[in-house]
Amino acid sequence: MRADPAPPQCPPGPQAPNSRDPSPMPEIYGPRENPASLPMSSAETPRAETVSPLPSSMDLLTQDSPDSSTSPRVKLPPTSGEERTARKEDATQGKKQKMRTVFSQTQLYVLNDRFQRQKYLSSQQTQELSNILNLSYKQVKSWFQNQRTKSKIWQKSNWPEQSNSVTQTSSATTEYAGFYPCCQGYLPNPSGNLPLWSSQAWNYPNWNSQTWNSQSWSNHSWNSQTWCPQAWNNQAWNNPLHNCEEESLQPPIQFQQNSMGDLESIFKTAGESHGVLQQSTKYFSSQQIMDFFPNYSEHST
DNA sequence: CTTCCGTTTCCC
DNA sequence: GGGAAACGGAAG
């Protein structure tokens, strides 16, 4: 019965942090063709085993089989080592068992990094991301949804007494970064300061950091007045044909198809595990790490 | 189709 | 038991 009397199309701008408050983020990467799924070098991918969910209706554009069949990215983290491919197959009774995938650190890293800049992905972007990470469309979509939920909860907990969205933005510039446990040590200050990644992220050369600094973003994103996910996904900038913007927004560094491979190798050599993030930042700026990602493919002009 | 929310189910 | 992935349903 959750029926947000959401407006016809877009949610009212300044509204309670309760109803849908999408945080649109201008697509800075622009839609790109998907090159080819980046084979996760099964480097550390813990175990991303997945169910074979019954394709719902939207799997049309996705390789929905989460991949247990496509990618071996199923390995156990150095902690609990035991491959447990043991999925309850007893589901033969008709009750489809739910398999909970454990994303690899690399996958989470990329997802998180992306999430920090973009709370919402277009379907195409989701698709691309899923290809790169060797995840299913659904998985990426679900992950972002779950992340958004956590983000909201996190925000609320940050301003327990502030129910006024206006006050929030002025008093806090925090933005949920969506860090997973292993990264928390890396966070500057989970209790109020802008996450490191976020701040660095705003060094986009082509982004008006003067105008769009972290605070602006925070304000804008979580109190957006004229934005809604659906509209967003239909925007021109999500349209391959409209990429005038993205060109100018392309970061200088372009990793190519094997970007993930590079990243992973670094993760490995750096000693993956918990140190992976810290280490990786020594080689790449968070910006770069992230940038390689959306640009894995350069649109052939 | 998407979003959200609430819930379930699983892994640690 | 907590956290997180996945599911189901309502609403747009």
Side-chain angles (χ1 to χ4, degrees):
Chain A
M1 252 84 54
R2 50 149 262 59
D4 292 336
Q9 288 270 346
C10 294
Q15 57 182 345
N18 215 346
S19 38
R20 307 182 174 186
D21 42 336
S23 55
M25 169 123 184
E27 171 57 278
I28 46 185
Y29 321 117
R32 303 186 160 298
E33 285 285 310
N34 189 5
S37 62
L38 254 163
M40 293 286 268
S41 62
S42 54
E44 27 131 353
T45 47
R47 69 323 207 37
E49 54 195 0
T50 24
V51 252
S52 348
L54 309 182
S56 37
S57 39
M58 72 160 320
D59 307 319
L60 63 175
L61 53 137
T62 107
Q63 42 175 39
D64 208 321
S65 39
D67 36 50
S68 7
S69 52
T70 29
S71 59
R73 64 179 170 42
V74 186
K75 220 63 180 185
L76 270 189
T79 7
S80 44
E82 279 117 86
E83 40 186 75
R84 32 173 75 230
T85 337
R87 53 195 53 190
K88 318 221 167 161
E89 314 185 13
D90 317 285
T92 43
Q93 318 171 20
K95 202 64 166 165
K96 70 174 172 184
Q97 290 267 335
K98 189 188 293 184
M99 271 312 281
R100 185 179 167 282
T101 305
V102 178
F103 296 141
S104 73
Q105 295 212 345
T106 302
Q107 289 169 326
L108 286 174
Y109 178 82
V110 173
L111 285 168
N112 270 290
D113 212 21
R114 182 71 179 250
F115 180 76
Q116 284 177 58
R117 301 160 202 277
Q118 252 185 299
K119 263 62 183 177
Y120 296 85
L121 296 182
S122 69
S123 55
Q124 181 181 357
Q125 292 167 335
T126 303
Q127 179 65 65
E128 292 174 358
L129 190 51
S130 66
N131 286 339
I132 293 177
L133 296 178
N134 243 322
L135 294 173
S136 72
Y137 180 95
K138 259 196 204 168
Q139 285 178 306
V140 174
K141 199 173 86 169
S142 293
W143 187 89
F144 266 79
Q145 182 52 56
N146 287 330
Q147 215 61 21
R148 267 177 243 131
T149 301
K150 286 196 294 184
S151 176
K152 287 187 177 183
I153 294 172
W154 182 85
Q155 285 201 334
K156 284 183 180 178
S157 66
N158 253 311
W159 308 296
E161 303 178 4
Q162 315 257 3
S163 54
N164 201 340
S165 59
V166 178
T167 315
Q168 287 179 11
T169 60
S170 58
S171 62
T173 57
T174 49
E175 179 183 2
Y176 175 72
F179 299 99
Y180 33 105
C182 68
C183 314
Q184 287 182 351
Y186 172 79
L187 288 179
N189 182 1
S191 63
N193 291 333
L194 190 70
L196 180 58
W197 289 354
S198 291
S199 39
Q200 289 184 345
W202 295 110
N203 292 332
Y204 261 100
N206 289 304
W207 257 76
N208 246 333
S209 53
Q210 296 171 349
T211 337
W212 282 93
N213 53 32
S214 53
Q215 181 159 4
S216 301
W217 167 236
S218 184
N219 291 344
H220 180 81
S221 61
W222 295 101
N223 299 281
S224 182
Q225 317 80 345
T226 55
W227 192 91
C228 67
Q230 295 190 355
W232 168 256
N233 287 335
N234 290 327
Q235 288 307 313
W237 46 73
N238 278 322
N239 186 330
L241 299 177
H242 180 286
N243 49 14
C244 51
E245 283 270 17
E246 70 180 86
E247 292 191 27
S248 59
L249 291 174
Q250 288 199 17
I253 300 177
Q254 299 210 5
F255 294 73
Q256 294 292 328
Q257 293 75 351
N258 47 359
S259 321
M260 181 61 82
D262 294 341
L263 184 60
E264 293 230 28
S265 62
I266 287 173
F267 282 177
K268 296 265 316 176
T269 55
E272 47 186 322
S273 224
H274 299 76
V276 65
L277 295 176
Q278 289 103 321
Q279 292 296 337
S280 64
T281 55
K282 292 180 182 176
Y283 299 86
F284 302 125
S285 68
S286 64
Q287 173 185 335
Q288 291 172 330
I289 294 175
M290 204 293 126
D291 287 348
F292 86 80
F293 186 46
N295 287 285
Y296 47 85
S297 152
E298 48 185 317
H299 50 94
S300 47
T301 51

